[in-house]
Every structure is written in structure tokens, then in C-alpha cells.
Amino acid sequence: MIPRYTLPEMADLFADQSRYATWVKVEILASEAQAGLGRVPAAAVEDMRRARVPLAARVAEIEKERDHEVLSFLAAYCEDIPEDSARWVHLGMTSYDLVDTALGHTLARATDLLLAAARRLRATLVGKALEHWDTVMVGRTHGVHAEPTTFGHKLGVHAFAVDRSITRLTAAREAVAVGTVSGSVGTYALIDPEVERHVCDALGLGVEPVPSQVVARDRHAQLMQAVAALGACIEQIALELRLLQRTEVREVEEHRTGAYQGSSAMPHKRNPTTSERLCGLARLLRGYADTALENVALWHERDLAHQSVERVILPDSLSVGHFQAVMAADLVDSLTVRPERMRAHIDTTDGLIHSSAVLADLLARGVERERAYRGVQAAADHTLATGEHFAAGLAREGIDVESLEPERFLTRHDVIRTRLETLRELDD
């Protein structure tokens, strides 16, 4: 069973108070390691553990005087630590040892929430696809009737797209779940690498192999690209469902509550608003991904150009991506499917969607390709010109077919169902 995470969990991860709680955790872990090396008194570490996480309001108050968030945080934290112990806080560290290591921990947790939502979406798509595997409908290319397919097959395409996004997100999580506690310009001049190892191991993080004082920003860009790719996959699902909800089609419909009102002026309207929202959110995610790429290049060992940007794009991208994945799973899970409408549309072009199958039959019988193609095309042109059924046009051309039932032309697509069932096994 795939757990469903509520959206406030994601927002809470990026709240100021949560960030300061993670910073305290990093400071305590670093001091533990320093104590193990004999450089910080054990009693000082105990005082740090007893101290409260500073309130975000207090940090903000101090920052008005200091104009430096990390120094303001440290001042607020040390207000609750005896002076003899407070002087050991942050020993040998630089600001971004704290900031980036804590950020790696937060991003890993946030990506885990997003991955859980994406897995739920995958499971929902697979379940609905298998439920409607034999629900025959028209396949469309260029927006035009092409050949028969099934609604389950259509959803299976999206299930595998989400599965690929999960693979990308998993790799991006590994890339971004790193920290560095290496001191100014990343040389370990004033801090032992053992401190970094202790901190990162305790937080479940890897270590930046050659730190420049900050964690390399191509890692964060990789995560933003993966989130945007998932968003694009969800957009494709939503776009498909929007198109299938058009008045002329109405093969599916979003779930409506009793409170639903589609228009202030037209009471009959039933608009695909959820699908439309999902498409709009994907545009935001692409913008965040582009901006993350701009953050990769920093001056020398570090600058601060990326910091103000990341305060927006990192929490927003992961929150939007998570919200989008949860909403998409809800949309698919509660979707009304109308098999009778799908079946009815099979015949709206008077059998023309079977033209390629008839052509394949003729070729199998040994008819020369150009002759077969022209004969079937002439029959199709007759149907378009007169409205007579395609079978009548084929008869005029002397072409005999056994049946034009759509199921006849779907005999081998169960091999795809077998592939789809492998995804279900991942979530069982």
C-alpha cells in the first residue's frame, strides 16, 4: 500500500523553525565529533544538547542588528548555553558548513516525500490501466482518429513515464544528499575531516569529495530538473484528460462534488479545472529548473548569488511537485470513465480507423503494396465523400475483409499488459 502524505509535511520541512532545528542538529553533531577528538569539552556538548532551538522570531530580531542570518542564529542559540560552553559552538566551521549540510538533509527528506507521492501516482495509474485494459477506444494521432486502442493501454504509457521519473528522482536524491564540514574555502585547515564524516554519517549524507566551501550547485540543478521532468509527465496525463473531457468527446470526466459550479454565467459548464491546474503547475517547475542551472556557476570558491534564489526555488519546486503528484493521483483515482462513449466513437468515422488493418491483411495475402494501398485509400475516399460505411467502399474496390471489429486488431497488445504488471509488483 502506497502511503499518502499530506501537503503540510512538505511545507514544514522548509519553515524557518525547522531549518533552525536542523542547524542545531548539525552543530551538536559537529561538537560531538570535536569532543571525540579531544578539542571540545564533553560538558560543553551536553550544554548544547540541553539548549532550546532558537525561535525564528528571535533570530530575525538579532538579524536586524547583525545582518547575517547564521551569526544571528548562533547568537540566539548561545543565549541558552552557559558562556563557558557557548564558546565551543561552531568551532572550526564556516557558515556554509552549517547551511549546506543542513540543506542536504532537508532536501533528502523532501525528495522522499515527493518520491512517495510519485509512487502513489504510479500505482494509481497501473491500477486504473489494468481495470480498463479491455476498454476499447479510438487512438488519435495529430488529434485525428487513427486506430483502435484501449483506455488501459493509454494509461499504461503514463504509468511508465512516471516510473522513469521516479528513477530520475532517486538518482537526484542521491546527488543532493551530501554535506560538507570542511571550513573556509573547503581545505579542512581548521577542522578535522573526521568531524565531517561523523556529521554526514549521522544525517545519512554523502560527503562532497572536493569541497570548495559549498556543496556544488549542479547537484541541486539535477534535482530541479528531475522534479520538472516529473511535472512534465504529469502535464501529459492532465493534457490527455483535458482533451478527453471536451464536449465533443466526453469519454472521461473529473470527479465533481455537490458544491461544484463551473461558471458564474453558464450553469451547464463542467470544466476540466483540475487537469488545467496540473498543466499550469508544470510551467512553474520548468522555470525553477532553468533558474537552478543559473546557480551552478559561482565565483571562485563561493559567492552568494545562488542563496536568495534557492530560498524560493527549492521549497517551491518540491512543494509544487509534491502537490501536483498528489493531485494527479487523486484525479486518476476518482476519474469517471465512459466506455460507452469510447465505443461509440469507434464508428463515428464509419470504419475508417481500420484502414491500416485492412491494408496489412491485403499485404499478408500477397497483394502488391502500391495496389493494396491505393485500393484501400480509394475506399476511404469514397466513405469520406458519401458517408457510406468503409465496408461498402471496400466492397466497391473488390476488397474482402472478415471483420472490422476493433478487438480483432488488438490481439497482441497483452504483451504490453505483462510489462505493465511488472510495475504493479513494485508497489505490492
Side-chain angles (χ1 to χ4, degrees):
M1 182 69 179
I2 304 300
R4 177 176 175 182
Y5 290 87
T6 55
L7 300 180
E9 289 182 75
M10 180 66 81
D12 288 347
L13 283 176
F14 292 99
D16 287 344
Q17 199 62 48
S18 296
R19 183 167 72 256
Y20 297 147
T22 307
W23 285 7
V24 167
K25 187 182 297 186
V26 172
E27 291 289 352
I28 291 172
L29 288 169
S31 294
E32 283 178 355
Q34 296 277 34
L37 294 169
R39 296 175 182 172
V40 168
V45 179
E46 289 304 315
D47 286 336
M48 295 176 205
R49 290 196 186 102
R50 283 191 289 266
R52 292 167 295 185
V53 175
L55 295 176
R58 178 56 180 152
V59 176
E61 183 181 4
I62 297 175
E63 193 172 1
K64 292 177 183 177
E65 302 171 0
R66 297 194 175 221
D67 195 26
H68 193 290
E69 186 184 21
V70 172
L71 288 176
S72 301
F73 158 79
L74 292 171
Y77 178 42
C78 288
E79 286 178 342
D80 201 37
I81 301 174
E83 185 175 340
D84 284 349
S85 296
R87 66 194 181 95
W88 299 107
V89 174
H90 205 67
L91 181 69
M93 296 170 62
T94 190
S95 295
Y96 261 73
D97 287 339
L98 175 61
V99 172
D100 268 4
T101 302
L103 180 61
H105 182 56
T106 298
L107 290 177
R109 295 165 66 198
T111 306
D112 286 341
L113 288 178
L114 179 54
L115 279 166
R119 292 187 188 105
R120 175 178 172 248
L121 174 57
R122 179 180 64 189
T124 304
L125 285 164
V126 169
K128 189 72 75 171
L130 293 174
E131 177 187 349
H132 287 282
W133 192 252
D134 296 319
T135 302
V136 179
M137 67 182 300
V138 173
R140 299 168 173 93
T141 60
H142 305 277
V144 177
H145 285 202
E147 292 190 23
T149 185
T150 72
F151 190 56
H153 189 147
K154 186 184 291 286
L155 293 178
V157 171
H158 301 305
F160 270 97
V162 172
D163 181 63
R164 290 189 295 275
S165 284
I166 290 171
T167 299
R168 285 187 288 264
L169 278 169
T170 301
R173 184 205 185 278
E174 182 179 355
V176 83
V178 299
T180 180
V181 185
S182 51
S184 300
V185 302
T187 62
Y188 303 104
L190 299 177
I191 196 164
D192 194 299
E194 179 62 21
V195 177
E196 178 181 72
R197 186 202 63 77
H198 177 78
V199 172
C200 290
D201 282 356
L203 295 175
L205 301 177
V207 170
E208 186 67 72
V210 183
S212 68
Q213 184 168 316
V214 297
V215 168
R217 259 46 200 176
D218 63 282
R219 299 177 181 276
H220 305 76
Q222 180 180 348
L223 177 60
M224 297 296 95
Q225 297 291 315
V227 175
L230 173 62
C233 292
I234 293 174
E235 181 183 21
Q236 181 61 55
I237 299 167
L239 180 60
E240 179 68 30
L241 296 182
R242 284 172 63 187
L243 292 169
L244 295 180
Q245 289 180 80
R246 287 174 297 146
T247 303
E248 298 82 359
V249 182
R250 291 186 61 243
E251 293 178 351
V252 302
E253 186 175 3
E254 298 176 7
H255 174 71
R256 315 289 183 181
T257 68
Y260 178 79
Q261 293 180 296
S263 168
S264 63
M266 297 169 284
H268 73 279
K269 293 298 292 297
R270 299 172 74 85
N271 302 321
T273 49
T274 299
S275 301
E276 290 170 337
R277 290 186 188 114
L278 291 173
C279 290
L281 292 174
R283 299 170 188 172
L284 271 179
L285 295 177
R286 286 192 286 275
Y288 294 142
D290 284 347
T291 305
L293 289 171
E294 297 291 336
N295 276 351
V296 174
L298 302 176
W299 282 28
H300 302 302
E301 278 61 52
R302 68 156 290 191
D303 66 39
L304 208 57
H306 61 92
Q307 188 250 17
S308 57
V309 178
E310 288 176 354
R311 284 181 180 248
V312 176
I313 67 170
L314 294 178
D316 273 20
S317 179
L318 286 156
S319 297
V320 168
H322 184 252
F323 179 78
Q324 192 192 35
V326 170
M327 182 186 287
D330 288 346
L331 170 63
V332 174
D333 187 47
S334 61
L335 192 68
T336 296
V337 181
R338 295 199 172 91
E340 72 286 352
R341 292 281 300 178
M342 294 176 175
R343 185 68 189 221
H345 287 146
I346 292 282
D347 294 324
T348 55
T349 52
D350 301 309
L352 291 180
I353 62 169
H354 304 301
S355 70
S356 64
V358 173
L359 175 61
D361 275 354
L362 292 176
L363 296 177
R365 294 180 205 169
V367 180
E368 187 268 328
R369 181 175 182 84
E370 183 65 16
R371 179 183 171 193
Y373 188 98
R374 291 300 184 184
V376 176
Q377 185 180 48
D381 289 344
H382 177 77
T383 296
L384 289 170
T386 66
E388 278 194 290
H389 197 273
F390 186 44
L394 292 171
R396 284 172 55 89
E397 297 299 320
I399 299 173
D400 175 42
V401 293
E402 296 177 16
S403 167
L404 292 181
E405 288 301 309
E407 288 82 358
R408 179 179 169 228
F409 306 110
L410 293 169
T411 55
R412 293 180 181 167
H413 91 139
D414 273 347
V415 67
I416 302 171
R417 176 178 182 144
T418 301
R419 297 168 188 162
L420 189 62
E421 287 172 341
T422 63
L423 288 188
R424 182 167 62 179
E425 293 170 4
L426 295 175
D427 296 316
D428 285 343

